[in-house]
Structures are given as structure tokens and as C-alpha cells.
Amino acid sequence: MTTNTTAPVALVTGATAGFGTAITHKLVKDGYRVIATGRRMERLQALANELGEAVLPLQLDVSDKSAVRALPASLPAGWQEVDVLVNNAGLALGLEKAWETNVDDWETMIATNISGIVETTRALLPGMVSRNRGHLIFLGSTAGRYPYPGSNVYGASKAFVDRFTQNLRSDLLGKSIRVTNVAPGLCGGSEFSLVRLKDENKADAVYENTSPLTPEDIANTVSWIVGCPAHMNVNYIEMMPTCQAAAGLAVDRTMG
């Protein structure tokens, strides 16, 4: 099948697994050409082999500032006008209390979840502004709104996503550029818990006896948001599986 070279272009970070892979599949189905980025080139190439010329695999580590800043100029002809940026790349590391955690894990989360989205946004936003069109999608988390033990820097990084998207909307008032924070709760079918806990049994236990959200649920949500009328901006959308709810405030009864 011949790819439509006039089709809109989306760039998805963290496309090697989970949400990013599912979003790439869905956007291609919706008629987009997708620049699929991530650190593991073999997975990106497999995605391109599966989906055809509508996918451009591009190795990119969003925590590498030099690589991200060079990104716009490095894109091949026909792929340089990015209409949708999906800032999906991110991770959580550990569930230790703040005084017990590995500070290197904190630094990695900050470099990816905060600096990574700042850099990719700053790299591609000027082009959107000059064309006066575009959509910035950010994968936040319910952890950015609801605290829980061990979430410390991870939750704070997702709270940053929430405030960053709102401030971007303020900056972009009067421009035809949309900004959305997608904030999922418990979601299976990805590498998230395995990366966080570094133990397959512990990761599996996170979803035991639950019916969590799936990467396809997230991809379908992104598809709907992008497909909304151009005059409509979805500022923030939060979703949880029905087996999950905010737990409320915790009270310690041993200190009285």
C-alpha cells in the first residue's frame, strides 16, 4: 500500500512498548504518518515492518538534550512538519520512602519525565507556532493528583506535567495549537511496573485480581482527543479502571 505523503505527521516518544506502541498503531489506523521514537531501535524497526511506510522509526533518548535539540533539523523531507507530538516517554523507578530511595533513580525520572518533555516540546513547538497548527499530547498520571507512599519524585514529575500543560495553554492563547494532559490510573499491558519494581513477580502482583486499563484504552483516548474539532481543546482527561478509586486521606492511629 502506498503511503499518503500529504497525511498529517505525528511524533510519538517511547514508542517501543506499552502506550507508545498502541498509540502508534491507532494513529496510523487513523490516517497519520507516525515518527516512532525510542531507545530500542530493533523494536522501532519491527513496528515499521509491521505498519509499513506510514511509520518512520527514529532512535531517540529524550533525556539526551543534544539529540532532542537536533531533532527538527534531522527529520527527513516530508516528515518535518509535525502536527501532533505525543510526549509519552516516561518511567517510574522504585517505591521506597524518600529517605531510603536511590537518588540516581530520582535523577533518571527527572531527566526523562520532566526534562525530556520540556526538551521535545521546545524543539517542536516553534514549528507548530509558525504554521499556526498542532497538538501537544502529554501522558501524565493520576499520581500527579493523588499522592501515595513511594510516589515522591514520580508523582511530582507528573504534577509538573499538569502545570506545564496548563501554562502552555496560557502561552498559546490566540494560536490554533491544542494542549492536552492525559492522566491514566492503574493500567496493565505495559512495562511500567516491571521497570519500576525490577521483579516480574512483584510487577504481576500489581494487577492481580484487577481489570486495569489497557494501552489500547489510552490509545483510543488519544485518538478521540486528536480527532475533536479544531476549535475544541481537551485540557485534561483523567481515567481509572472501575476497580480503582482515590483512596482518600490516610490517618495514622499509632501516634495518639
Side-chain angles (χ1 to χ4, degrees), residues 40-253:
R40 293 171 288 189
M41 189 61 190
E42 70 282 359
R43 292 197 178 191
L44 298 174
Q45 191 59 60
L47 196 58
N49 292 344
E50 178 182 2
L51 296 175
E53 295 179 357
V55 170
L56 174 67
L58 182 67
Q59 190 168 33
L60 180 70
D61 181 349
V62 297
S63 67
D64 182 342
K65 293 181 181 180
S66 297
V68 175
R69 292 175 185 180
L71 175 63
S74 72
L75 295 174
W79 294 87
Q80 295 175 347
E81 295 188 2
V82 176
D83 299 282
V84 178
L85 168 61
V86 183
N87 272 308
N88 166 70
L91 77 167
L93 293 171
L95 274 171
E96 295 82 9
K97 301 295 177 61
W99 62 92
E100 299 170 333
T101 191
N102 182 336
V103 177
D104 289 341
D105 286 347
W106 277 6
E107 293 291 345
T108 298
M109 286 187 280
I110 291 167
T112 305
N113 299 358
I114 297 179
S115 297
I117 66 168
V118 167
E119 290 288 344
T120 52
T121 299
R122 184 60 180 82
L124 295 174
L125 184 56
M128 293 183 178
V129 170
S130 68
R131 296 185 294 274
N132 197 31
R133 71 174 192 272
H135 200 152
L136 302 169
I137 303 280
F138 295 80
L139 265 296
S141 170
T142 54
R145 179 162 293 193
Y146 308 107
Y148 61 87
S151 184
N152 39 69
V153 165
Y154 173 69
S157 73
K158 293 304 183 178
F160 176 88
V161 172
D162 184 53
R163 187 55 54 182
F164 186 46
T165 55
Q166 292 185 49
N167 284 317
L168 283 170
R169 281 286 298 131
S170 296
D171 283 350
L172 289 164
L173 184 64
K175 305 291 185 185
S176 297
I177 298 169
R178 298 183 287 174
V179 185
T180 304
N181 177 15
V182 179
L186 184 69
C187 188
S190 75
E191 299 175 340
F192 178 83
S193 290
L194 182 59
V195 169
R196 183 175 214 173
L197 302 173
K198 301 180 178 67
D199 183 298
E200 190 169 346
N201 291 328
K202 290 181 180 179
D204 290 343
V206 172
Y207 310 103
E208 188 175 351
N209 298 322
T210 71
S211 295
L213 299 174
T214 69
E216 288 69 32
D217 294 329
I218 310 308
N220 288 334
T221 301
V222 169
S223 172
W224 173 76
I225 291 167
V226 171
C228 286
H231 70 274
M232 174 179 166
N233 192 88
V234 179
N235 297 329
Y236 175 83
I237 186 165
E238 177 183 295
M239 64 200 84
M240 293 183 182
T242 54
C243 64
Q244 184 183 35
L249 297 176
V251 176
D252 183 282
R253 301 188 185 279

Side-chain angles (χ1 to χ4, degrees), residues 20-30 34 47 50-51 55 219:
T21 297
I23 291 168
T24 299
H25 274 267
K26 180 58 178 170
L27 290 179
V28 168
K29 185 176 180 181
D30 290 346
V34 178
L47 196 58
E50 178 182 2
L51 296 175
V55 170

